[in-house]
Amino acid sequence: MQLTNLRGVYEAQGPFATVYLEARSPADDAEDQLRLRWQDLRAQLADAGTPDVALTELDEAVTGPAPTEVHTEGRVLVADQTRVVLNEHFDAAQGSGDLATVGEPPQLGDYVRHRLGAARMLVVIADQQQALIRRLVVSGEDLLASGQEESVQGSSVESVHKPRQGALSHKQIQRSADEAATQNIRDITQRVAKIADSWNPDVIVVAGETQGRRALHEELPKALQELAVEAETGGGIPAGNADEGTEQALRDELTVIARRVVIARGNEQTDRYGEATGHGRSAEGVEEIRAAIRLGAVDTLLLRQDERAEGEGQLLADASASGAFFGLVGAPVSGAVAAVLRYEAPVQDVAD
């Protein structure tokens, strides 16, 4: 995964204030709780020399328009000397709690792990006439982000409904209904393909009534079919009138699908690292990784999910500047950090 938003963060003017606010249970006094939590973190940042203008910007980001949401969903924020340069959802599943630090570079190891543990999902709730398309980012039980929701209406003016009786006089109506449904599904598919091309989802989830979702799945281009999964739930209507029970069932299934995507991604990266090691195109440990980055050899920087590497904030910054991808490795590695290299590089000699 290439976290393109990080480059802009690292290119901002430091020193940086990095803030993690863990997700906490909803409460009637959530705003008051958040204010107290933030007061403590803000004092730490002020004592460490964060400029007043940056603190004011952080005030607005934390307690501004949606403080209850910040309290229950968690946040990671980074401010440079004058503005907030990163503001995203964050579930502190690592149990690290609230945290505030000042320095260069920003400390984004936990945020990167969190992003690597999330799945970008293009969810299409379809019937034979129309569809509702949602762009979601899901991690664990949490919806991290929700993009624009879009309705797509098929262009056919004919009805997709067939007569209940099978008399000969009805054959033309049945044929017309089939053609109308086919045209509508093609229209929906074209829109899904266009969104997928620009948004690059990890998985396409096709939900809705059985005939519509199956027809859509079959109509998708082969490359998108390989990303597509049919949901067993979410059979309500795309216009957004599905009942709450149906919506909840779909959300539950999406978390299961997201978990499978993340596990498969981690297994793939671990296997890829093993293969690269067999061909002399890997490095592990902080010193080897630093050497590989200096040589411009790092294709993918790999972190351990539950371990931090020494100086990993700087490793992430340097790897991002070199255009590297990021991943998680399931195998134990020296120093809790490893890399797949673009080519065989003398990292041990350079590190020494």
Side-chain angles (χ1 to χ4, degrees):
M1 179 184 292
Q2 191 166 37
L3 302 178
T4 54
N5 64 324
L6 289 188
R7 181 168 293 190
V9 175
Y10 290 127
E11 289 175 350
Q13 182 64 47
F16 298 92
T18 305
V19 178
Y20 287 95
L21 287 158
E22 70 175 355
R24 294 192 180 177
S25 300
D28 292 337
D29 62 342
E31 286 193 40
D32 292 334
Q33 289 188 39
L34 179 66
R35 186 175 64 255
L36 292 173
R37 294 165 63 190
W38 173 235
Q39 284 178 355
D40 181 53
L41 297 175
R42 192 185 197 281
Q44 295 177 41
L45 296 175
D47 290 344
T50 302
D52 289 341
V53 62
L55 289 172
T56 299
E57 291 295 310
L58 286 168
D59 287 338
E60 177 62 22
V62 174
T63 62
T68 300
E69 181 180 300
V70 173
H71 176 82
T72 57
E73 296 181 357
R75 280 295 188 279
V76 55
L77 304 110
V78 176
D80 65 6
Q81 294 295 285
T82 60
R83 61 195 173 96
V84 174
V85 294
L86 181 70
N87 180 357
E88 294 202 12
H89 294 258
F90 179 79
D91 175 18
Q94 297 89 347
S96 55
D98 295 342
L99 179 69
T101 64
V102 176
E104 293 191 61
Q107 298 304 301
L108 294 176
D110 285 347
Y111 165 70
V112 169
R113 290 181 178 86
H114 186 52
R115 281 290 305 274
L116 294 173
R120 291 167 67 89
M121 312 182 83
L122 189 61
V123 182
V124 187
I125 309 173
D127 61 20
Q128 296 181 87
Q129 296 174 286
Q130 57 189 332
L132 184 69
I133 303 175
R134 296 169 176 166
R135 282 166 268 196
L136 307 177
V137 180
V138 179
S139 176
E141 303 296 326
D142 298 309
L143 173 63
L144 301 184
S146 179
Q148 179 183 0
E149 188 172 87
E150 179 177 337
S151 294
V152 180
Q153 188 77 36
S155 62
S156 176
V157 297
E158 301 293 336
S159 173
V160 300
H161 300 295
K162 299 179 182 179
R164 294 182 181 275
Q165 303 300 322
L168 291 175
S169 61
H170 292 159
K171 284 187 177 180
Q172 181 59 40
I173 300 175
Q174 291 175 342
R175 188 180 304 113
S176 177
D178 287 338
E179 290 173 353
T182 298
Q183 181 59 54
N184 291 335
I185 292 298
R186 286 175 179 166
D187 294 336
I188 295 167
T189 300
Q190 289 178 2
R191 185 57 187 156
V192 170
K194 186 173 182 179
I195 294 173
D197 184 59
S198 62
W199 203 63
N200 297 315
D202 297 312
V203 61
I204 298 173
V205 180
V206 183
E209 56 92 9
T210 304
Q211 287 180 306
R213 74 172 187 248
R214 289 183 178 172
L216 178 61
H217 194 171
E218 292 172 0
E219 186 67 24
L220 288 170
K222 184 177 180 180
L224 297 186
Q225 282 186 6
E226 294 175 354
L227 294 178
V229 175
E230 283 192 44
E232 297 299 323
T233 52
I237 189 26
N241 297 324
D243 61 47
E244 181 57 31
T246 300
E247 285 287 327
Q248 184 59 53
L250 178 59
R251 286 195 292 268
D252 291 343
E253 187 166 1
L254 291 179
T255 62
V256 173
I257 294 170
R259 193 174 300 116
R260 290 174 184 161
V261 169
V262 171
I263 290 172
R265 180 194 296 154
N267 290 340
E268 179 183 359
Q269 291 289 3
T270 302
D271 292 344
R272 182 167 172 250
Y273 175 68
E275 181 180 352
T277 299
H279 290 85
R281 291 186 296 102
S282 70
E284 66 176 274
V286 174
E287 294 306 318
E288 284 192 14
I289 302 301
R290 285 174 179 162
I293 291 173
R294 288 198 297 270
L295 293 170
V298 174
D299 175 85
T300 304
L301 184 70
L302 299 169
L303 303 177
R304 292 277 291 162
Q305 178 65 64
D306 300 320
E307 297 179 71
R308 292 185 179 89
E310 180 183 352
E312 70 177 20
Q314 190 63 55
L315 292 178
L316 288 167
D318 294 341
S320 179
S322 72
F325 293 81
F326 299 95
L328 298 174
V329 61
V333 291
S334 175
V337 64
V340 173
L341 305 183
R342 298 183 173 115
Y343 53 86
E344 288 189 51
V347 293
Q348 292 180 336
D349 295 339
V350 176
D352 293 340

